[in-house]
Amino acid sequence: MSSYAITAPSSDKMLPLFFVLLLRLAGSPRDAAALTRDDYPKGFTFGAGTSAYQDDVKLMQELGLDAYRFSIAWARLIPGIEPHVTIYHLDLPQSLQDEYGGLLSPRFVDDFTAYADACFQSFGDRVKHWVTLNEPNMEPISGYSNGMIPPQRCSDPFCSFVNFTKGNSTTEPYIAAHHLLLAHASAVSLYRDKYNPEEVFAPGALGKLLDHLKLKYGNPTIMIHENGLRDRPKITSEIVYDDDIRSEYLEDYLDQIYLSIGSRYGLCGVDMNAEERTRYVRKSARWYSGFLKGGELRPALPSGKAYLTA
């Protein structure tokens, strides 16, 4: 599981708004250290991201999560846990890159719309929460400006690796980003017009956008996707159980969420030394599970630890 995911409950008086970020909570906050899951509104959903549902769903159920978020490249529609599906996650078919240059061509918009249509038609009876693009800034920057990820296009002096000579870092990132945004808008229009005209898509962002969303859409229901904390281990394959910093991050994060209502990720690690890529539960996952099962946000323990082990 790669990150924490939190959603707000829906309201009969407002349109559901998907893939956004924050919410408001009526009432006065009490001591944050004593917060429990019961202090959040009824219907407030706690979840996490997943990369391999065969292993992760059992772990998520044991931890007490309500929902999980994943990409549709490998459909993981498991009964009993609500899926949040990302349609595109840096996985452009190589054939489209070879045929017309991928994101650099306006043809990408039409092909993406057809792909989104196939997703909505095939899985729409089971999936009600859709994300069009995952981190649409990353592919233009890392794929077309510094060349760190496919298609590894860049030009001097912006290339991260000196042997990359194809591309134009001053123009192509903007072209790719433009076509991604057009593809997003096209898929949203398609979904509204053909599949569910009552639902509203909106981009996920922070800062001033939150005020815009509140004013533009009437303070709508909000969802949070992909907000985990990464670390950078000295040994990549090392099994790490002690991740107190991740617990502290989530404690502070949930604390701020509560007050505002009104490079490795993972609660669970992967043993890269094992052929089966076995999952193991870190202490932050046990703290999260303890919180979801009724424990306090910052329980006072004799050991001085800032989380509750389940």
Side-chain angles (χ1 to χ4, degrees), residues 224-253:
I224 302 168
H225 282 172
E226 198 163 329
N227 59 333
L229 176 70
R230 70 177 180 179
D231 57 18
R232 195 178 297 274
K234 295 180 180 179
I235 303 176
T236 308
S237 59
E238 180 183 6
I239 294 177
V240 179
Y241 289 100
D242 294 324
D243 61 341
D244 293 359
I245 187 174
R246 189 169 283 110
S247 301
E248 293 168 1
Y249 164 81
L250 184 55
E251 289 169 1
D252 291 339
Y253 179 78

Side-chain angles (χ1 to χ4, degrees), residues 19 72 85 87 119-120 123-124 127-132 191 201:
F19 326 132
I72 201 171
V85 175
I87 299 175
C119 293
F120 298 149
F123 307 114
V127 176
K128 303 305 178 185
H129 305 291
W130 298 93
V131 181
T132 53
Y191 187 80
F201 279 64

Side-chain angles (χ1 to χ4, degrees), residues 157-218:
F158 303 101
C159 294
S160 297
F161 305 98
V162 294
N163 58 328
F164 291 162
T165 58
K166 59 183 179 181
N168 187 329
S169 297
T170 62
T171 59
E172 290 187 357
Y174 302 98
I175 296 172
H178 179 63
H179 291 152
L180 281 171
L181 292 175
L182 290 178
H184 162 79
S186 179
V188 170
S189 297
L190 170 70
Y191 187 80
R192 288 174 176 169
D193 296 340
K194 186 175 180 180
Y195 294 97
N196 197 334
E198 296 182 358
E199 293 186 359
V200 177
F201 279 64
L206 289 171
K208 294 181 180 179
L209 181 58
L210 294 176
D211 291 332
H212 168 74
L213 293 170
K214 180 178 180 180
L215 295 174
K216 177 72 173 180
Y217 297 100

Side-chain angles (χ1 to χ4, degrees), residues 4-10 17-24 37 40-48 66-69 82-84 129 131 220-227 253-254 257 261 288:
Y4 315 112
I6 301 174
T7 69
S10 60
L17 178 61
F18 300 107
F19 326 132
V20 201
L21 295 176
L22 228 56
L23 67 157
R24 299 285 175 187
R37 185 174 186 169
Y40 292 81
K42 183 179 180 181
F44 198 95
T45 302
F46 289 86
D66 301 313
Y68 76 110
R69 179 258 192 181
E82 185 178 56
H84 290 220
H129 305 291
V131 181
T221 301
I222 291 174
M223 293 187 178
I224 302 168
H225 282 172
E226 198 163 329
N227 59 333
Y253 179 78
L254 292 177
I257 285 287
I261 297 173
Y288 195 24

Side-chain angles (χ1 to χ4, degrees), residues 254-271:
L254 292 177
D255 191 2
Q256 293 303 313
I257 285 287
Y258 181 83
L259 295 176
S260 69
I261 297 173
S263 322
R264 177 173 61 182
Y265 300 85
L267 294 165
C268 297
V270 179
D271 183 359

Side-chain angles (χ1 to χ4, degrees), residues 88-97 100-103 108 139 144:
Y88 181 75
H89 196 145
L90 307 178
D91 50 2
L92 178 75
Q94 184 63 45
S95 60
L96 302 187
Q97 182 67 36
Y100 54 71
L103 302 186
F108 168 79
E139 196 164 14
Y144 293 88

Side-chain angles (χ1 to χ4, degrees), residues 59-164:
L59 286 172
M60 287 188 289
Q61 290 175 332
E62 292 174 351
L63 292 178
L65 305 184
D66 301 313
Y68 76 110
R69 179 258 192 181
F70 64 94
S71 298
I72 201 171
W74 293 269
R76 308 158 183 154
L77 306 180
I78 305 300
I81 300 181
E82 185 178 56
H84 290 220
V85 175
T86 300
I87 299 175
Y88 181 75
H89 196 145
L90 307 178
D91 50 2
L92 178 75
Q94 184 63 45
S95 60
L96 302 187
Q97 182 67 36
D98 296 338
E99 182 178 348
Y100 54 71
L103 302 186
L104 297 180
S105 170
R107 292 175 59 185
F108 168 79
V109 178
D110 294 333
D111 284 346
F112 180 83
T113 305
Y115 164 55
D117 192 15
C119 293
F120 298 149
Q121 184 173 3
S122 299
F123 307 114
D125 60 328
R126 288 159 288 173
V127 176
K128 303 305 178 185
H129 305 291
W130 298 93
V131 181
T132 53
L133 308 171
N134 182 78
E135 297 180 323
N137 61 317
M138 289 301 297
E139 196 164 14
I141 294 173
S142 298
Y144 293 88
S145 179
N146 58 39
M148 291 186 66
I149 67 173
Q152 296 183 317
R153 297 180 63 85
C154 63
S155 59
D156 289 335
F158 303 101
C159 294
S160 297
F161 305 98
V162 294
N163 58 328
F164 291 162

